[in-house]
Structures are given as structure tokens and as C-alpha cells.
Amino acid sequence: MASLGNGAYAGANPPVSSWASGLCGCFHDVSGCCLTLCCPCVTFGRIAEILDQGNSSCCANGLLYMLLASTTGLGCLYSCTYRSKLRGQYGLKEKPCGDCCVHMFCEACALCQEYRELKNRGFDMAIGWHANMERMGKGAPTVAPQMHPGMTR
């Protein structure tokens, strides 16, 4: 099966691998756990920006999540779509149950697990997608400066 370079795989069945940590392993990353308990919208925004490969901002996703969670109590429906996206990009197993069930009944644990998963894959969650790509040496190619010819007649 061919990798498409961004963690996605060509074909119908991506390889299935295990999560780096369990759903209840929140204290494997105490700082991420504290962030999620205090500001789940920030945790979600960071996850979404990385999974969207910088095509959406942490602030916009976090704000939308916060609005959905505070007005309807259903921020979990938005965040479960990103769990599915994470699993699809990295071929992770859908466990312990379906993505929406995990987010509906264990929202904080699910966000912590997704945050840890991306950290374990080498992302610095605090700096965003573009800074991570620069740090990993995968930034936009630099173009050599144009040289102007010397004096001509």
C-alpha cells in the first residue's frame, strides 16, 4: 500500500496500528492533561491545525469548538470528526469503541490521547503546523535570489 506522504494511504484499507498510549493514559503527559482539563478548546484547536496541515488555524477551530460546546454541549460531535481524521492519516485502530462514542462519553480523555499521539509522532503542539514543518525540515522550498547582471550598455 503506498503512502501519500502526509500519513494518508492510497487504497481502501490502511494498515492498522495501535495508539501510542491508551485512552485512560492521560497522566503520561501531565502538561497536556492539565491543558485539556482547563482549556479543551486550545487542545482541540492545536490537534485540528496539525491534522488540517495548517489549512485551518488553531484559534478558529478552538473558537468553533468552544461555541459548540458552550451553546449546545455538542463540541464532541465536532471533535470526533478529527479523531476519525487522525486515525485515517496514521492507520490507527478504532478502539475502544467508535470515534463518536469515545468523544461523547470520554471527551477529555479522547482529546488527551489524540494530543499525546501527535506529540509522540514528533509534533511540538504549541508551535503549529507551519513551524513544525520548518523544524522538521519539510518547509516550503526556498528559491535562490535572482542575481541582477552587472553594468551593461
Side-chain angles (χ1 to χ4, degrees):
M1 191 131 334
S3 173
L4 299 177
N6 61 356
Y9 291 87
N13 297 324
V16 178
S17 61
S18 294
W19 291 81
S21 60
L23 181 64
C24 296
C26 296
F27 294 110
H28 292 136
D29 176 19
V30 175
S31 64
C33 180
C34 290
L35 175 67
T36 303
L37 289 175
C38 295
C39 299
C41 54
V42 173
T43 301
F44 173 74
R46 289 178 177 180
I47 292 167
E49 180 181 359
I50 297 295
L51 293 178
D52 285 340
Q53 298 178 351
N55 292 322
S56 66
S57 75
C58 171
C59 292
N61 284 308
L63 181 62
L64 182 55
Y65 175 84
M66 183 182 68
L67 289 172
L68 284 170
S70 63
T71 59
T72 66
L74 296 175
C76 58
L77 293 179
Y78 183 41
S79 58
C80 81
T81 62
Y82 279 89
R83 184 176 182 86
S84 298
K85 191 171 190 172
L86 175 67
R87 283 188 326 89
Q89 285 183 7
Y90 294 107
L92 297 167
K93 294 177 183 175
E94 186 175 28
K95 67 182 238 184
C97 55
D99 298 334
C100 285
C101 285
V102 170
H103 273 269
M104 182 69 73
F105 298 109
C106 289
E107 177 72 359
C109 293
L111 289 173
C112 284
Q113 183 185 33
E114 294 156 16
Y115 197 81
R116 281 191 314 277
E117 186 68 33
L118 291 170
K119 282 178 79 170
N120 287 335
R121 292 182 180 273
F123 290 100
D124 180 344
M125 300 301 288
I127 65 174
W129 171 260
H130 297 292
N132 271 292
M133 290 301 100
E134 288 177 17
R135 185 177 63 94
M136 293 176 185
K138 298 178 183 176
T142 56
V143 178
Q146 293 289 331
M147 297 301 291
H148 297 286
M151 294 174 46
T152 60
R153 289 188 175 205

